[in-house]
Amino acid sequence: MRSDTEVCGSIDCAGKSLDLSSPKVMGILNVTPDSFSDGGVFFERGKVSLDRVLGQAEAMTAAGASILDVGGESTRPGAAPVSEAEELDRVIPVIEAISQRFDTIVSVDSSTASVMREAVVAGAGLINDVRALRRDGALVAARDTELPVCLMHMSDEPTTMQNNPQYQDVVAEVRVFLSDRLADCVKAGIAEHLILLDPGFGFGKTAAHNYALLAHLEDIVSIGRPVLAGLSRKSMIAAEIHRNLDERLPASLALATLAAAKGARIIRAHDVKETADAMAMVAAMEREL
């Protein structure tokens, strides 16, 4: 169950309040041609289709997404880097269009300083960085936006992160990394109450590492910042039950529910309606604790 040290208040996301007293759903909107599950879904004749994106944004918002996470660089295992110009071209028009039409918080899934800066102008309310602000200029850019930021643990880079990842104690090492990055960001001028943490399921970790992190997620929660968990459709499911991507919904919901029951406050998911229903059950249980 949730740690007493967990922070469960509201966070201001560029004027929109994110209430983390109960677990919330972050809907995934990857405007990339090569993301592992939804790559290319929002492309038409080689370009991002705003109509398709807005249709999905509307459906996710109606289904219960509190946040829409827009990313323009695939970070699946083995993914190649994308240029700064291409990432900007993909995500900025999308963030702007969603922000103008919907009241949902928009998150920018990026490690690139210029994308962070342009995203806040376009209407983003949160920065979600798989590299925990370690790319050149990212920490300063995130500080200057004054947006909340999620720091994720990733071993190595997407191109090589799944090449035999090894840890002496994955839970302890991820906890130390996130604690240290939290301290670094606070020292650099980012307000502590604006920082969220993500253990990085599937990013430089074997299936065993992922399940160890989930089993001991309260150790990450105990750092004292809200935790985001991204488990949707990931290969750790296939490692146990050998399901294809389109067959992983029940297992994804089980993992999401376990993560929320162990203290995660944001669940990043492809299947928003079903995940929102699962989170409503967790919230109902938590009211009786």
Side-chain angles (χ1 to χ4, degrees):
M1 296 302 107
R2 289 184 294 153
S3 166
D4 290 338
T5 61
E6 182 190 357
V7 178
C8 298
S10 294
I11 297 177
D12 183 358
C13 298
K16 297 175 182 177
S17 181
L18 178 61
D19 179 9
L20 297 178
S21 61
S22 61
K24 298 298 186 291
V25 178
M26 171 186 276
I28 299 169
L29 273 173
N30 285 320
V31 287
T32 61
D34 56 345
S35 291
F36 87 96
S37 179
D38 55 353
V41 171
F42 305 114
F43 274 68
E44 187 173 15
R45 290 189 289 274
K47 294 186 177 181
V48 176
S49 168
L50 279 180
D51 286 342
R52 290 185 185 180
V53 172
L54 290 173
Q56 182 73 341
E58 182 176 19
M60 285 184 164
T61 300
S66 298
I67 311 164
L68 298 178
D69 194 39
V70 177
E73 178 189 18
S74 175
T75 52
R76 64 174 174 78
V82 66
S83 72
E84 181 178 315
E86 180 66 21
E87 188 180 359
L88 284 165
D89 286 345
R90 290 175 182 177
V91 304
I92 300 306
V94 169
I95 293 171
E96 189 171 50
I98 293 174
S99 298
Q100 289 174 351
R101 290 165 177 79
F102 305 105
D103 194 40
T104 309
I105 296 165
V106 180
S107 169
V108 59
D109 181 359
S110 181
S111 302
T112 306
S114 62
V115 177
M116 295 174 189
R117 294 184 190 278
E118 292 297 324
V120 68
V121 176
L126 189 151
I127 295 167
N128 184 22
D129 185 5
V130 300
R131 295 174 179 84
L133 303 181
R134 289 179 292 164
R135 185 175 273 178
D136 287 348
L139 196 157
V140 172
R143 180 199 64 196
D144 291 348
T145 68
E146 299 183 348
L147 293 181
V149 60
C150 184
L151 308 172
M152 195 193 81
H153 175 275
M154 175 171 62
S155 176
D156 214 338
E157 284 287 320
T159 50
T160 56
M161 65 185 180
Q162 291 304 110
N163 295 345
N164 193 30
Q166 296 187 26
Y167 303 86
Q168 292 295 317
D169 183 333
V170 65
V171 178
E173 290 174 49
V174 169
R175 192 185 193 283
V176 167
F177 171 87
L178 291 174
S179 296
D180 287 349
R181 279 314 282 160
L182 171 64
D184 290 342
C185 290
V186 170
K187 184 177 179 179
I190 299 177
E192 185 171 349
H193 73 273
L194 294 178
I195 299 174
L196 300 87
L197 303 175
D198 180 350
F201 292 103
F203 285 81
K205 300 168 184 76
T206 65
H209 294 146
N210 290 321
Y211 285 111
L213 278 168
L214 181 59
H216 300 282
L217 192 62
E218 61 271 15
D219 288 6
I220 308 302
V221 171
S222 71
I223 296 172
R225 299 308 311 144
V227 169
L228 182 153
L231 298 148
S232 180
R233 304 181 185 176
K234 291 200 169 176
S235 61
M236 62 188 287
I237 296 171
E240 291 297 315
I241 57 174
H242 311 293
R243 297 289 189 263
N244 295 325
L245 279 170
D246 59 356
E247 300 175 312
R248 295 179 188 175
L249 175 59
S252 293
L253 294 176
L255 295 177
T257 302
L258 289 167
K262 284 180 166 289
R265 294 293 87 185
I266 300 174
I267 302 296
R268 188 174 183 271
H270 298 87
D271 304 289
V272 169
K273 181 179 179 180
E274 296 86 350
T275 308
D277 284 351
M279 294 306 100
M281 299 301 96
V282 175
M285 176 195 69
E286 289 181 347
R287 289 197 297 270
E288 302 304 321
L289 292 177

